[in-house]
Amino acid sequence: MARKKIALIGAGNIGGTLAHLAAQKELGDVVLFDIAEGVPQGKALDLSQCGPVEGFDAQITGTNDYADIAGADVIIVTAGVPRKPGMSRDDLLGINLKVMKSVGEGIKTHAPDAFVICITNPLDAMVWALREFSGLPHNKVVGMAGVLDSARFSTFLAWEFGVSVRDVTSFVLGGHGDTMVPVVEYSTVKGIPVPDLIKMGKSTQERIDAIVKRTAGGGGEVVALLKTGSAFYAPAASAIAMAESYLLDQKRVLPCAAYLDGQYGVDGMYVGVPVKIGADGVEEVIEIALNDTAKAGLQVSIDAVKELVAACKGIDETLA
Ligand code: A3D
C-alpha cells in the first residue's frame, strides 16, 4: 500500500513542527509548501536528516509549487502571519484573507479530494473563507482550535488537581478568540465533573474561574512571553491529532471549528463544537445540552465570529 501524503501549506513555526510530528508518527510522506523560497526546502532537508536518528522512513520534501501537493490525503494550512504582542487575532484578518484566497485556489486546482485542516487566524473566519475559496465539501474542511484550547484547559486543570493530564478531559466551545467558552460542567477528572470536585473540596469556584480566564487568554499568554510570534508546539500537536483521526478512521470526538447547518442555532458559519472525525471527514456534529451561562457565552462567541465573516465579505466581493 502506498504511503499517505500530507501537504503542509506554510512552513513556518507550526508548519515545521507539523512536519516533524507527522514524520515521527509515520503518518505518511510530507510535502512542505511556502512562498518563501528555500525555507520549505531547507526545513525538509533538515527534518529528513532526523530520519536515521529517530528511525522514520517518511519522505519530507519542500516546495514553492502548488503542483507538488497533488494527491494529498491531508492538507494542514498555517500560511499567513501570526500575532505579535499587543495584537488580537482579528487584527490579522485582512492580510490572512488574501493568503486564504491563494491557498484555497491551490487546493481546488491540485488536491480537491484532501481533508483540509485550517490553523491560520482569525481561525473561525479563515476556515470559512478557505472553504469558500476552495469549494471543497463542508465536511472536508475543518478548523483547529478547540483541541488546542481544551488542551490548555486540561493542562491547567491537571496542575490544579495534581493529577495526570491523561485523566483530565475538558471542552472548550465557540470561536477561537477571547470569547471562547470553556465548559466546566463537561470537564472531568476520570469522569468526575469539575463542579463535583469543587464540592469535594479539591478546588474552589474562584480558582476554577481563574483557570477558565487563563484558558481563554492562553494564546495571548504565550505571545507575550515569546514576543516574536505565537504558540506552535501545542497547535501542531493538536492538528496532528485531528489528521490522525481522519487517516486512521479513529472517529475521535474532538472540539473543532466545524461548518454548522442549523446546529446550535447557527447557519452557514464555522464555530467550535464537538465533532466526530473519521474517514469521511467531519462525520457528525455533536449537539450537547448547555446550561444558560454556557449558552449565553456561546452566543456572544457566535456573534463575534459573525462579525468577522461579515468583514471578510466586505473585503472580498467574491465571498458576498
Ligand atoms: P509563521 O512561523 O510566521 O509561519 C507562517 C508561514 O506562512 C511563513 O513561513 C510564511 O512565509 C508563510 N506564508 C505567508 N504567506 C503565504 C502564502 N500566501 N502561501 C504560503 N505560505 C505563506 O507562523 P506560525 O506557523 O507560528 O503561525 C501560522 C498561523 O497559525 C498564524 O496565522 C497564527 O496566528 C495561527 N495560529 C493559530 C492557532 C490556533 O489555535 C487557531 C494557534 C497558533 C497560531
Side-chain angles (χ1 to χ4, degrees):
M1 205 188 352
R3 290 202 203 125
K4 297 289 185 190
K5 178 167 173 177
I6 297 146
L8 306 173
I9 313 295
N13 279 339
I14 303 179
T17 312
L18 284 168
H20 198 182
L21 288 173
Q24 281 178 331
K25 288 173 172 272
E26 303 224 58
L27 292 184
D29 291 336
V30 176
V31 176
L32 264 171
F33 172 97
D34 204 289
I35 47 164
E37 281 178 27
V39 172
Q41 292 86 349
K43 288 201 178 182
L45 186 59
D46 187 8
L47 285 164
S48 297
Q49 293 160 0
C50 291
V53 184
E54 296 176 352
F56 61 73
D57 289 307
Q59 300 290 311
I60 308 172
T61 47
T63 184
N64 307 110
D65 183 353
Y66 270 111
D68 293 327
I69 72 166
D73 297 285
V74 169
I75 298 177
I76 307 179
V77 178
T78 60
V81 293
R83 288 197 276 172
K84 298 235 162 51
M87 286 175 93
S88 87
R89 295 176 181 91
D90 301 356
D91 293 334
L92 307 171
L93 187 125
I95 178 156
N96 284 349
L97 183 63
K98 283 200 198 99
V99 175
M100 289 307 101
K101 189 164 194 159
S102 61
V103 175
E105 284 162 3
I107 292 173
K108 185 184 203 162
T109 309
H110 298 284
D113 296 324
F115 178 59
V116 179
I117 301 168
C118 180
I119 306 185
T120 301
N121 271 322
L123 191 268
D124 308 87
M126 292 303 101
V127 64
W128 173 83
L130 182 65
R131 207 302 309 170
E132 293 290 313
F133 291 132
S134 69
L136 265 60
H138 290 106
N139 63 315
K140 298 293 284 294
V141 182
V142 67
M144 188 298 293
V147 177
L148 170 66
D149 297 327
S150 303
R152 287 177 173 151
F153 195 18
S154 293
T155 304
F156 300 143
L157 288 173
W159 290 347
E160 172 66 7
F161 294 113
V163 298
S164 165
V165 287
R166 280 175 291 186
D167 291 329
V168 179
T169 56
S170 70
F171 258 123
V172 178
L173 306 181
H176 180 62
D178 301 340
T179 58
M180 69 178 75
V181 188
V183 189
V184 175
E185 289 69 24
Y186 284 112
S187 302
T188 77
V189 173
K190 208 72 191 167
I192 310 165
V194 169
D196 289 4
L197 290 162
I198 296 173
K199 280 186 210 141
M200 289 157 66
K202 304 284 184 196
S203 183
T204 63
Q205 190 61 51
E206 292 67 38
R207 290 179 67 88
I208 297 299
D209 288 347
I211 286 175
V212 164
K213 198 163 169 231
R214 189 175 181 191
T215 300
E221 189 177 349
V222 176
V223 170
L225 289 166
L226 293 181
K227 297 185 182 70
T228 51
S230 53
F232 52 99
Y233 294 114
S238 302
I240 289 291
M242 293 164 65
E244 219 170 1
S245 191
Y246 171 75
L247 288 168
L248 307 181
D249 194 23
Q250 289 172 335
K251 303 196 187 297
R252 290 196 63 192
V253 175
L254 300 167
C256 301
Y259 184 77
L260 300 183
D261 193 8
Q263 303 94 334
Y264 292 93
V266 179
D267 222 355
M269 265 181 12
Y270 276 79
V271 178
V273 294
V275 301
K276 187 168 84 182
I277 295 184
D280 289 329
V282 175
E283 297 183 348
E284 189 186 344
V285 171
I286 297 162
E287 277 193 273
I288 52 174
L290 296 172
N291 66 24
D292 289 345
T293 315
K295 251 189 222 161
L298 186 60
Q299 193 53 52
V300 171
S301 189
I302 290 166
D303 291 343
V305 177
K306 231 179 239 174
E307 265 183 45
L308 290 178
V309 168
C312 291
K313 289 180 181 174
I315 294 170
D316 188 311
E317 73 279 3
T318 63
L319 291 171

PDB file of all heavy atoms in Angstrom, residues 10-14 33-36 78-83 92 96 99 102 119-121 123 144-145 148 176 230-231 235, ligand 1:
ATOM      1  N   GLY A  10       2.451  26.402   4.364  1.00  0.00           N
ATOM      2  CA  GLY A  10       3.049  27.251   5.393  1.00  0.00           C
ATOM      3  C   GLY A  10       4.119  26.430   6.085  1.00  0.00           C
ATOM      4  O   GLY A  10       3.824  25.392   6.678  1.00  0.00           O
ATOM      5  N   ALA A  11       5.360  26.883   5.942  1.00  0.00           N
ATOM      6  CA  ALA A  11       6.482  26.123   6.521  1.00  0.00           C
ATOM      7  C   ALA A  11       7.156  26.944   7.607  1.00  0.00           C
ATOM      8  O   ALA A  11       8.374  26.955   7.738  1.00  0.00           O
ATOM      9  CB  ALA A  11       7.470  25.735   5.420  1.00  0.00           C
ATOM     10  N   GLY A  12       6.344  27.644   8.380  1.00  0.00           N
ATOM     11  CA  GLY A  12       6.876  28.460   9.471  1.00  0.00           C
ATOM     12  C   GLY A  12       7.026  27.629  10.733  1.00  0.00           C
ATOM     13  O   GLY A  12       7.338  26.431  10.676  1.00  0.00           O
ATOM     14  N   ASN A  13       6.757  28.273  11.874  1.00  0.00           N
ATOM     15  CA  ASN A  13       6.935  27.581  13.158  1.00  0.00           C
ATOM     16  C   ASN A  13       6.007  26.387  13.304  1.00  0.00           C
ATOM     17  O   ASN A  13       6.429  25.304  13.702  1.00  0.00           O
ATOM     18  CB  ASN A  13       6.677  28.558  14.308  1.00  0.00           C
ATOM     19  CG  ASN A  13       7.889  29.417  14.590  1.00  0.00           C
ATOM     20  OD1 ASN A  13       9.013  29.059  14.236  1.00  0.00           O
ATOM     21  ND2 ASN A  13       7.664  30.561  15.206  1.00  0.00           N
ATOM     22  N   ILE A  14       4.719  26.585  12.997  1.00  0.00           N
ATOM     23  CA  ILE A  14       3.791  25.448  13.138  1.00  0.00           C
ATOM     24  C   ILE A  14       4.051  24.431  12.023  1.00  0.00           C
ATOM     25  O   ILE A  14       4.093  23.226  12.276  1.00  0.00           O
ATOM     26  CB  ILE A  14       2.310  25.896  13.117  1.00  0.00           C
ATOM     27  CG1 ILE A  14       2.049  26.929  14.216  1.00  0.00           C
ATOM     28  CG2 ILE A  14       1.377  24.689  13.313  1.00  0.00           C
ATOM     29  CD1 ILE A  14       0.618  27.449  14.264  1.00  0.00           C
ATOM     30  N   PHE A  33       5.022  23.263   1.816  1.00  0.00           N
ATOM     31  CA  PHE A  33       4.895  24.318   0.810  1.00  0.00           C
ATOM     32  C   PHE A  33       4.977  25.676   1.500  1.00  0.00           C
ATOM     33  O   PHE A  33       4.397  25.878   2.564  1.00  0.00           O
ATOM     34  CB  PHE A  33       3.545  24.205   0.087  1.00  0.00           C
ATOM     35  CG  PHE A  33       3.252  25.361  -0.831  1.00  0.00           C
ATOM     36  CD1 PHE A  33       3.516  25.276  -2.187  1.00  0.00           C
ATOM     37  CD2 PHE A  33       2.729  26.559  -0.335  1.00  0.00           C
ATOM     38  CE1 PHE A  33       3.267  26.354  -3.031  1.00  0.00           C
ATOM     39  CE2 PHE A  33       2.483  27.645  -1.169  1.00  0.00           C
ATOM     40  CZ  PHE A  33       2.745  27.542  -2.521  1.00  0.00           C
ATOM     41  N   ASP A  34       5.671  26.621   0.866  1.00  0.00           N
ATOM     42  CA  ASP A  34       5.683  28.001   1.376  1.00  0.00           C
ATOM     43  C   ASP A  34       6.009  28.920   0.208  1.00  0.00           C
ATOM     44  O   ASP A  34       6.605  28.493  -0.785  1.00  0.00           O
ATOM     45  CB  ASP A  34       6.759  28.155   2.475  1.00  0.00           C
ATOM     46  CG  ASP A  34       6.459  29.311   3.437  1.00  0.00           C
ATOM     47  OD1 ASP A  34       6.578  30.487   2.998  1.00  0.00           O
ATOM     48  OD2 ASP A  34       6.096  29.054   4.595  1.00  0.00           O
ATOM     49  N   ILE A  35       5.615  30.181   0.333  1.00  0.00           N
ATOM     50  CA  ILE A  35       6.002  31.126  -0.724  1.00  0.00           C
ATOM     51  C   ILE A  35       7.450  31.593  -0.545  1.00  0.00           C
ATOM     52  O   ILE A  35       8.067  32.063  -1.491  1.00  0.00           O
ATOM     53  CB  ILE A  35       5.075  32.376  -0.804  1.00  0.00           C
ATOM     54  CG1 ILE A  35       4.841  32.962   0.585  1.00  0.00           C
ATOM     55  CG2 ILE A  35       3.762  32.061  -1.493  1.00  0.00           C
ATOM     56  CD1 ILE A  35       4.288  34.369   0.551  1.00  0.00           C
ATOM     57  N   ALA A  36       7.972  31.475   0.673  1.00  0.00           N
ATOM     58  CA  ALA A  36       9.366  31.885   0.918  1.00  0.00           C
ATOM     59  C   ALA A  36      10.286  30.857   0.271  1.00  0.00           C
ATOM     60  O   ALA A  36      10.235  29.671   0.616  1.00  0.00           O
ATOM     61  CB  ALA A  36       9.615  31.969   2.412  1.00  0.00           C
ATOM     62  N   THR A  78      -1.245  26.596   7.546  1.00  0.00           N
ATOM     63  CA  THR A  78      -0.784  27.573   8.545  1.00  0.00           C
ATOM     64  C   THR A  78      -0.241  28.814   7.851  1.00  0.00           C
ATOM     65  O   THR A  78       0.385  29.660   8.489  1.00  0.00           O
ATOM     66  CB  THR A  78       0.338  26.987   9.435  1.00  0.00           C
ATOM     67  OG1 THR A  78       1.440  26.620   8.589  1.00  0.00           O
ATOM     68  CG2 THR A  78      -0.131  25.774  10.203  1.00  0.00           C
ATOM     69  N   ALA A  79      -0.443  28.911   6.548  1.00  0.00           N
ATOM     70  CA  ALA A  79       0.086  30.047   5.786  1.00  0.00           C
ATOM     71  C   ALA A  79      -0.516  31.343   6.301  1.00  0.00           C
ATOM     72  O   ALA A  79      -1.694  31.403   6.627  1.00  0.00           O
ATOM     73  CB  ALA A  79      -0.239  29.871   4.305  1.00  0.00           C
ATOM     74  N   GLY A  80       0.321  32.378   6.350  1.00  0.00           N
ATOM     75  CA  GLY A  80      -0.167  33.682   6.795  1.00  0.00           C
ATOM     76  C   GLY A  80       0.756  34.267   7.828  1.00  0.00           C
ATOM     77  O   GLY A  80       1.911  33.866   7.929  1.00  0.00           O
ATOM     78  N   VAL A  81       0.243  35.228   8.586  1.00  0.00           N
ATOM     79  CA  VAL A  81       1.087  35.831   9.624  1.00  0.00           C
ATOM     80  C   VAL A  81       0.493  35.546  11.008  1.00  0.00           C
ATOM     81  O   VAL A  81      -0.719  35.469  11.165  1.00  0.00           O
ATOM     82  CB  VAL A  81       1.257  37.357   9.421  1.00  0.00           C
ATOM     83  CG1 VAL A  81       2.055  37.654   8.174  1.00  0.00           C
ATOM     84  CG2 VAL A  81      -0.086  38.061   9.363  1.00  0.00           C
ATOM     85  N   PRO A  82       1.371  35.375  11.992  1.00  0.00           N
ATOM     86  CA  PRO A  82       0.891  35.187  13.376  1.00  0.00           C
ATOM     87  C   PRO A  82       0.832  36.518  14.112  1.00  0.00           C
ATOM     88  O   PRO A  82       1.265  37.542  13.591  1.00  0.00           O
ATOM     89  CB  PRO A  82       1.974  34.281  13.976  1.00  0.00           C
ATOM     90  CG  PRO A  82       3.229  34.660  13.256  1.00  0.00           C
ATOM     91  CD  PRO A  82       2.832  35.206  11.900  1.00  0.00           C
ATOM     92  N   ARG A  83       0.340  36.466  15.352  1.00  0.00           N
ATOM     93  CA  ARG A  83       0.233  37.687  16.175  1.00  0.00           C
ATOM     94  C   ARG A  83       1.568  38.097  16.758  1.00  0.00           C
ATOM     95  O   ARG A  83       2.431  37.258  16.990  1.00  0.00           O
ATOM     96  CB  ARG A  83      -0.676  37.403  17.371  1.00  0.00           C
ATOM     97  CG  ARG A  83      -2.094  37.273  17.054  1.00  0.00           C
ATOM     98  CD  ARG A  83      -2.903  37.414  18.330  1.00  0.00           C
ATOM     99  NE  ARG A  83      -3.023  36.176  19.084  1.00  0.00           N
ATOM    100  CZ  ARG A  83      -3.560  36.121  20.291  1.00  0.00           C
ATOM    101  NH1 ARG A  83      -3.982  37.217  20.885  1.00  0.00           N
ATOM    102  NH2 ARG A  83      -3.673  34.963  20.914  1.00  0.00           N
ATOM    103  N   LEU A  92      -5.369  40.248  12.225  1.00  0.00           N
ATOM    104  CA  LEU A  92      -4.713  39.542  11.111  1.00  0.00           C
ATOM    105  C   LEU A  92      -5.644  39.329   9.928  1.00  0.00           C
ATOM    106  O   LEU A  92      -5.228  38.829   8.874  1.00  0.00           O
ATOM    107  CB  LEU A  92      -4.228  38.151  11.586  1.00  0.00           C
ATOM    108  CG  LEU A  92      -3.345  38.113  12.840  1.00  0.00           C
ATOM    109  CD1 LEU A  92      -3.141  36.666  13.280  1.00  0.00           C
ATOM    110  CD2 LEU A  92      -1.995  38.762  12.551  1.00  0.00           C
ATOM    111  N   ASN A  96      -4.435  37.873   6.155  1.00  0.00           N
ATOM    112  CA  ASN A  96      -4.572  36.420   6.042  1.00  0.00           C
ATOM    113  C   ASN A  96      -5.723  35.999   5.118  1.00  0.00           C
ATOM    114  O   ASN A  96      -5.709  34.895   4.562  1.00  0.00           O
ATOM    115  CB  ASN A  96      -4.706  35.786   7.433  1.00  0.00           C
ATOM    116  CG  ASN A  96      -3.352  35.733   8.146  1.00  0.00           C
ATOM    117  OD1 ASN A  96      -2.315  35.976   7.528  1.00  0.00           O
ATOM    118  ND2 ASN A  96      -3.361  35.415   9.428  1.00  0.00           N
ATOM    119  N   VAL A  99      -4.246  35.548   1.828  1.00  0.00           N
ATOM    120  CA  VAL A  99      -3.476  34.296   1.809  1.00  0.00           C
ATOM    121  C   VAL A  99      -4.429  33.112   1.622  1.00  0.00           C
ATOM    122  O   VAL A  99      -4.161  32.199   0.828  1.00  0.00           O
ATOM    123  CB  VAL A  99      -2.649  34.153   3.110  1.00  0.00           C
ATOM    124  CG1 VAL A  99      -1.954  32.809   3.156  1.00  0.00           C
ATOM    125  CG2 VAL A  99      -1.636  35.283   3.243  1.00  0.00           C
ATOM    126  N   SER A 102      -5.340  32.523  -2.085  1.00  0.00           N
ATOM    127  CA  SER A 102      -4.370  31.806  -2.921  1.00  0.00           C
ATOM    128  C   SER A 102      -4.258  30.344  -2.493  1.00  0.00           C
ATOM    129  O   SER A 102      -4.158  29.451  -3.325  1.00  0.00           O
ATOM    130  CB  SER A 102      -3.007  32.506  -2.917  1.00  0.00           C
ATOM    131  OG  SER A 102      -2.499  32.546  -1.610  1.00  0.00           O
ATOM    132  N   ILE A 119      -5.449  26.269  10.299  1.00  0.00           N
ATOM    133  CA  ILE A 119      -4.982  26.764  11.603  1.00  0.00           C
ATOM    134  C   ILE A 119      -4.828  28.287  11.587  1.00  0.00           C
ATOM    135  O   ILE A 119      -4.809  28.949  12.617  1.00  0.00           O
ATOM    136  CB  ILE A 119      -3.630  26.104  12.005  1.00  0.00           C
ATOM    137  CG1 ILE A 119      -3.725  24.571  11.960  1.00  0.00           C
ATOM    138  CG2 ILE A 119      -3.203  26.546  13.393  1.00  0.00           C
ATOM    139  CD1 ILE A 119      -2.478  23.844  12.462  1.00  0.00           C
ATOM    140  N   THR A 120      -4.731  28.867  10.399  1.00  0.00           N
ATOM    141  CA  THR A 120      -4.478  30.310  10.266  1.00  0.00           C
ATOM    142  C   THR A 120      -5.557  31.135  10.982  1.00  0.00           C
ATOM    143  O   THR A 120      -6.749  30.833  10.884  1.00  0.00           O
ATOM    144  CB  THR A 120      -4.426  30.675   8.764  1.00  0.00           C
ATOM    145  OG1 THR A 120      -3.396  29.909   8.153  1.00  0.00           O
ATOM    146  CG2 THR A 120      -4.145  32.158   8.558  1.00  0.00           C
ATOM    147  N   ASN A 121      -5.121  32.174  11.677  1.00  0.00           N
ATOM    148  CA  ASN A 121      -6.030  33.067  12.416  1.00  0.00           C
ATOM    149  C   ASN A 121      -6.471  34.276  11.598  1.00  0.00           C
ATOM    150  O   ASN A 121      -5.750  34.650  10.666  1.00  0.00           O
ATOM    151  CB  ASN A 121      -5.302  33.573  13.674  1.00  0.00           C
ATOM    152  CG  ASN A 121      -5.503  32.646  14.852  1.00  0.00           C
ATOM    153  OD1 ASN A 121      -6.585  32.095  15.046  1.00  0.00           O
ATOM    154  ND2 ASN A 121      -4.448  32.470  15.633  1.00  0.00           N
ATOM    155  N   LEU A 123      -9.166  32.227  13.272  1.00  0.00           N
ATOM    156  CA  LEU A 123      -9.446  30.873  12.802  1.00  0.00           C
ATOM    157  C   LEU A 123     -10.839  30.653  12.191  1.00  0.00           C
ATOM    158  O   LEU A 123     -10.955  30.163  11.070  1.00  0.00           O
ATOM    159  CB  LEU A 123      -9.211  29.918  13.980  1.00  0.00           C
ATOM    160  CG  LEU A 123      -9.182  28.408  13.745  1.00  0.00           C
ATOM    161  CD1 LEU A 123     -10.503  27.748  13.919  1.00  0.00           C
ATOM    162  CD2 LEU A 123      -8.538  28.026  12.421  1.00  0.00           C
ATOM    163  N   MET A 144      -8.747  23.984  13.279  1.00  0.00           N
ATOM    164  CA  MET A 144      -8.156  23.527  14.535  1.00  0.00           C
ATOM    165  C   MET A 144      -8.123  24.677  15.531  1.00  0.00           C
ATOM    166  O   MET A 144      -7.498  25.692  15.261  1.00  0.00           O
ATOM    167  CB  MET A 144      -6.724  23.036  14.303  1.00  0.00           C
ATOM    168  CG  MET A 144      -6.067  22.365  15.506  1.00  0.00           C
ATOM    169  SD  MET A 144      -5.818  23.355  16.997  1.00  0.00           S
ATOM    170  CE  MET A 144      -4.605  24.549  16.422  1.00  0.00           C
ATOM    171  N   ALA A 145      -8.811  24.516  16.631  1.00  0.00           N
ATOM    172  CA  ALA A 145      -8.712  25.483  17.725  1.00  0.00           C
ATOM    173  C   ALA A 145      -9.147  24.813  19.022  1.00  0.00           C
ATOM    174  O   ALA A 145      -8.444  24.873  20.023  1.00  0.00           O
ATOM    175  CB  ALA A 145      -9.557  26.721  17.462  1.00  0.00           C
ATOM    176  N   LEU A 148      -6.723  22.522  20.804  1.00  0.00           N
ATOM    177  CA  LEU A 148      -5.683  23.290  21.494  1.00  0.00           C
ATOM    178  C   LEU A 148      -6.238  23.983  22.743  1.00  0.00           C
ATOM    179  O   LEU A 148      -5.647  23.905  23.825  1.00  0.00           O
ATOM    180  CB  LEU A 148      -5.102  24.333  20.528  1.00  0.00           C
ATOM    181  CG  LEU A 148      -4.177  25.377  21.145  1.00  0.00           C
ATOM    182  CD1 LEU A 148      -2.898  24.738  21.671  1.00  0.00           C
ATOM    183  CD2 LEU A 148      -3.823  26.450  20.116  1.00  0.00           C
ATOM    184  N   HIS A 176     -12.493  30.805  18.292  1.00  0.00           N
ATOM    185  CA  HIS A 176     -11.148  30.802  18.855  1.00  0.00           C
ATOM    186  C   HIS A 176     -10.719  32.245  19.078  1.00  0.00           C
ATOM    187  O   HIS A 176      -9.959  32.816  18.314  1.00  0.00           O
ATOM    188  CB  HIS A 176     -10.198  30.089  17.882  1.00  0.00           C
ATOM    189  CG  HIS A 176      -8.789  30.035  18.375  1.00  0.00           C
ATOM    190  ND1 HIS A 176      -8.433  29.391  19.534  1.00  0.00           N
ATOM    191  CD2 HIS A 176      -7.647  30.543  17.868  1.00  0.00           C
ATOM    192  CE1 HIS A 176      -7.123  29.505  19.705  1.00  0.00           C
ATOM    193  NE2 HIS A 176      -6.624  30.200  18.708  1.00  0.00           N
ATOM    194  N   SER A 230       3.631  33.427  17.842  1.00  0.00           N
ATOM    195  CA  SER A 230       2.673  32.782  18.739  1.00  0.00           C
ATOM    196  C   SER A 230       3.027  31.314  18.959  1.00  0.00           C
ATOM    197  O   SER A 230       3.999  30.797  18.389  1.00  0.00           O
ATOM    198  CB  SER A 230       1.256  32.962  18.196  1.00  0.00           C
ATOM    199  OG  SER A 230       1.143  32.538  16.865  1.00  0.00           O
ATOM    200  N   ALA A 231       2.205  30.663  19.770  1.00  0.00           N
ATOM    201  CA  ALA A 231       2.449  29.264  20.144  1.00  0.00           C
ATOM    202  C   ALA A 231       2.541  28.381  18.907  1.00  0.00           C
ATOM    203  O   ALA A 231       1.853  28.631  17.916  1.00  0.00           O
ATOM    204  CB  ALA A 231       1.300  28.784  21.032  1.00  0.00           C
ATOM    205  N   PRO A 235      -0.226  23.874  19.151  1.00  0.00           N
ATOM    206  CA  PRO A 235      -1.099  23.942  17.967  1.00  0.00           C
ATOM    207  C   PRO A 235      -0.792  22.822  16.963  1.00  0.00           C
ATOM    208  O   PRO A 235      -1.699  22.205  16.391  1.00  0.00           O
ATOM    209  CB  PRO A 235      -0.781  25.320  17.375  1.00  0.00           C
ATOM    210  CG  PRO A 235      -0.334  26.133  18.540  1.00  0.00           C
ATOM    211  CD  PRO A 235       0.404  25.184  19.438  1.00  0.00           C
TER     212      PRO A 235
HETATM  213  P1  A3D B   1       4.933  31.637  10.933  1.00  0.00           P
HETATM  214  O1  A3D B   1       6.044  30.966  11.645  1.00  0.00           O
HETATM  215  O2  A3D B   1       5.084  33.088  10.602  1.00  0.00           O
HETATM  216  O3  A3D B   1       4.641  30.819   9.590  1.00  0.00           O
HETATM  217  C1  A3D B   1       3.740  31.239   8.627  1.00  0.00           C
HETATM  218  C2  A3D B   1       4.312  30.862   7.276  1.00  0.00           C
HETATM  219  O4  A3D B   1       3.345  31.178   6.266  1.00  0.00           O
HETATM  220  C3  A3D B   1       5.606  31.616   6.907  1.00  0.00           C
HETATM  221  O5  A3D B   1       6.648  30.686   6.634  1.00  0.00           O
HETATM  222  C4  A3D B   1       5.216  32.404   5.660  1.00  0.00           C
HETATM  223  O6  A3D B   1       6.269  32.511   4.698  1.00  0.00           O
HETATM  224  C5  A3D B   1       4.076  31.562   5.125  1.00  0.00           C
HETATM  225  N1  A3D B   1       3.201  32.275   4.188  1.00  0.00           N
HETATM  226  C6  A3D B   1       2.813  33.584   4.187  1.00  0.00           C
HETATM  227  N2  A3D B   1       2.023  33.830   3.134  1.00  0.00           N
HETATM  228  C7  A3D B   1       1.888  32.663   2.457  1.00  0.00           C
HETATM  229  C8  A3D B   1       1.185  32.279   1.284  1.00  0.00           C
HETATM  230  N3  A3D B   1       0.468  33.150   0.592  1.00  0.00           N
HETATM  231  N4  A3D B   1       1.284  30.989   0.880  1.00  0.00           N
HETATM  232  C9  A3D B   1       2.023  30.093   1.566  1.00  0.00           C
HETATM  233  N5  A3D B   1       2.716  30.400   2.682  1.00  0.00           N
HETATM  234  C10 A3D B   1       2.648  31.672   3.114  1.00  0.00           C
HETATM  235  O7  A3D B   1       3.561  31.491  11.755  1.00  0.00           O
HETATM  236  P2  A3D B   1       3.090  30.248  12.645  1.00  0.00           P
HETATM  237  O8  A3D B   1       3.422  28.987  11.952  1.00  0.00           O
HETATM  238  O9  A3D B   1       3.540  30.467  14.047  1.00  0.00           O
HETATM  239  O10 A3D B   1       1.507  30.509  12.639  1.00  0.00           O
HETATM  240  C11 A3D B   1       0.754  30.342  11.454  1.00  0.00           C
HETATM  241  C12 A3D B   1      -0.682  30.797  11.640  1.00  0.00           C
HETATM  242  O11 A3D B   1      -1.316  29.990  12.638  1.00  0.00           O
HETATM  243  C13 A3D B   1      -0.856  32.255  12.105  1.00  0.00           C
HETATM  244  O12 A3D B   1      -1.935  32.844  11.406  1.00  0.00           O
HETATM  245  C14 A3D B   1      -1.212  32.105  13.578  1.00  0.00           C
HETATM  246  O13 A3D B   1      -1.965  33.192  14.071  1.00  0.00           O
HETATM  247  C15 A3D B   1      -2.022  30.838  13.538  1.00  0.00           C
HETATM  248  N6  A3D B   1      -2.171  30.148  14.829  1.00  0.00           N
HETATM  249  C16 A3D B   1      -3.401  29.613  15.091  1.00  0.00           C
HETATM  250  C17 A3D B   1      -3.623  28.929  16.267  1.00  0.00           C
HETATM  251  C18 A3D B   1      -4.968  28.349  16.543  1.00  0.00           C
HETATM  252  O14 A3D B   1      -5.161  27.739  17.566  1.00  0.00           O
HETATM  253  C19 A3D B   1      -6.039  28.509  15.578  1.00  0.00           C
HETATM  254  C20 A3D B   1      -2.579  28.789  17.195  1.00  0.00           C
HETATM  255  C21 A3D B   1      -1.341  29.338  16.898  1.00  0.00           C
HETATM  256  C22 A3D B   1      -1.142  30.023  15.691  1.00  0.00           C
END
